[in-house]
Amino acid sequence: MPGERIAIRDMLADGQRTFSFEFFPPKTDEGERKLWAVLRQLEALRPSFVSVTYGAGGANRDHTVAMTAGIARDTTLTPLGHFTAVNHSVAELRQIIGQYADAGVRNVLALRGDPPGDPQAEWVTHPDGVAYAEDLVRLLKASGDFCVGVAAFPEKHPRSPDWDSDIKHFVAKCRAGADYAITQMFFYADDFLRLRDRVSAAGSDVPIIPGIMPATNVRQIERFAQLSNAAFPPDLAARLHAAEEDADEMRRIGVEAATELCSRLLDEGVPGLHFITLNTSTATREIYRNLGLADRT
């Protein structure tokens, strides 16, 4: 079995900030080769952990698990395995848990997941599956010594009717055994800080790590923001659209905005930063340098 990596809860309990990267499973052999090259580049930055998402609607599950196992086996990186309920029976979920355990992956992110095809469609529970992320947390905790993370939503979950309901569901995930949370992408620091205050007022002290997506491609980021119900700053959108014919300038603007957001969050005492990389490393490495994080290597 590959060597065990440190649990994310232990990193956070020690008071150290975590700096982590998120990737998606490539669809082609060429995409996979490029991703491994990016992983090697980012390995030099010594991130706290890295994660590989599922495709939309739980697609690419086997590829995600295999990629996560490969990171555990072939790199010095600590992998975080994604784990979603959509389109999976409990028997299939237990099989995935076993695959992660066999690969030495003990850090897992439990997400209910989006419906296949249309993320905004009605969510339908698998007839032999589970309905909520808190059920996934309990399943993982009952299956071994897993360190389990969950999602948090600075602008509330798109399916939550109000903030009270959203915080109630988040706290339920924490009380089911979640060790920490990672947020969906957002662009206003105050949205994150209000979420943190609401969770604290509800009696939960589970660390919440901000999820950061640098806006380096305006069309792509606007599409993601619409799907995730994230408010995209109009002034940033205007600057990016004005530079749309110049990819380097658009990346510079996006990196500058993400650096400012990260700097504010670090000043507010966040427990870490989780960068959604879209399988490239340039913007992330530039933000690292801007924040002085390269010095930690």
Side-chain angles (χ1 to χ4, degrees):
M1 176 187 291
E4 297 286 342
R5 286 357 190 239
I6 187 170
I8 294 169
R9 63 169 171 260
D10 294 334
M11 301 178 193
L12 296 167
D14 286 343
Q16 63 175 295
R17 277 180 165 143
T18 61
F19 298 99
S20 50
F21 308 134
E22 179 175 301
F23 309 96
F24 62 85
K27 295 181 180 179
T28 65
D29 291 343
E30 178 62 19
E32 186 160 340
R33 283 192 291 272
K34 289 181 178 179
L35 177 54
W36 277 108
V38 169
L39 282 165
R40 295 303 183 188
Q41 290 174 327
L42 294 178
E43 190 173 15
L45 299 180
R46 295 176 56 205
S48 307
F49 60 91
V50 299
S51 69
V52 182
T53 70
Y54 279 12
N60 299 329
R61 180 194 72 187
D62 293 340
H63 197 181
T64 295
V65 174
M67 192 88 197
T68 305
I71 292 170
R73 181 184 63 245
D74 298 329
T75 76
T76 61
L77 299 165
T78 295
L80 168 64
H82 280 228
F83 187 62
T84 67
V86 63
N87 278 353
H88 296 336
S89 68
V90 170
E92 289 171 329
L93 293 171
R94 292 189 188 280
Q95 182 182 30
I96 298 168
I97 293 171
Q99 290 174 319
Y100 279 140
D102 289 345
V105 176
R106 296 290 177 174
N107 293 296
V108 180
L109 188 65
L111 311 163
R112 189 171 79 156
D114 294 322
D118 179 4
Q120 297 174 329
E122 180 183 0
W123 203 94
V124 178
T125 304
H126 187 288
D128 298 313
V130 298
Y132 298 105
E134 67 179 277
D135 300 318
L136 297 176
V137 175
R138 292 192 183 93
L139 185 60
L140 283 159
K141 287 294 185 177
S143 300
D145 184 23
F146 287 96
C147 174
V148 182
V150 293
F153 299 86
E155 295 161 270
K156 79 177 177 59
H157 193 287
R159 297 177 188 275
S160 291
D162 52 56
W163 268 111
D164 287 345
S165 174
D166 194 74
I167 297 302
K168 176 184 175 182
H169 285 298
F170 177 78
V171 171
K173 292 189 290 189
C174 295
R175 290 177 177 163
D179 298 291
Y180 66 95
I182 298 175
T183 75
Q184 190 162 347
M185 72 173 189
F186 62 96
F187 299 97
Y188 292 101
D190 286 344
D191 288 334
F192 174 88
L193 298 173
R194 280 191 287 268
L195 168 70
R196 189 174 66 176
D197 289 346
R198 288 182 172 111
V199 170
S200 178
S204 175
D205 60 358
V206 167
I208 304 175
I209 301 169
I212 308 296
M213 181 182 285
T216 56
N217 180 316
V218 65
R219 301 285 179 179
Q220 187 180 54
I221 204 77
E222 284 179 333
R223 185 170 68 254
F224 290 160
Q226 183 179 24
L227 289 173
S228 63
N229 201 36
F232 191 43
D235 56 338
L236 176 57
R239 292 176 64 202
L240 290 166
H241 276 293
E244 203 166 355
E245 301 303 317
D246 186 340
D248 289 340
E249 176 63 8
M250 191 158 50
R251 190 187 73 249
R252 187 197 67 76
I253 293 168
V255 166
E256 177 186 82
T259 300
E260 291 174 359
L261 174 60
C262 291
S263 182
R264 168 84 188 282
L265 293 168
L266 291 172
D267 287 345
E268 293 285 352
V270 297
L273 298 170
H274 184 69
F275 293 98
I276 303 164
T277 69
L278 299 180
N279 291 16
T280 60
S281 66
T282 305
T284 302
R285 286 186 284 122
E286 290 175 352
I287 295 167
Y288 246 62
R289 285 197 297 270
N290 293 346
L291 295 172
L293 299 177
D295 298 339
R296 65 187 283 274
T297 65

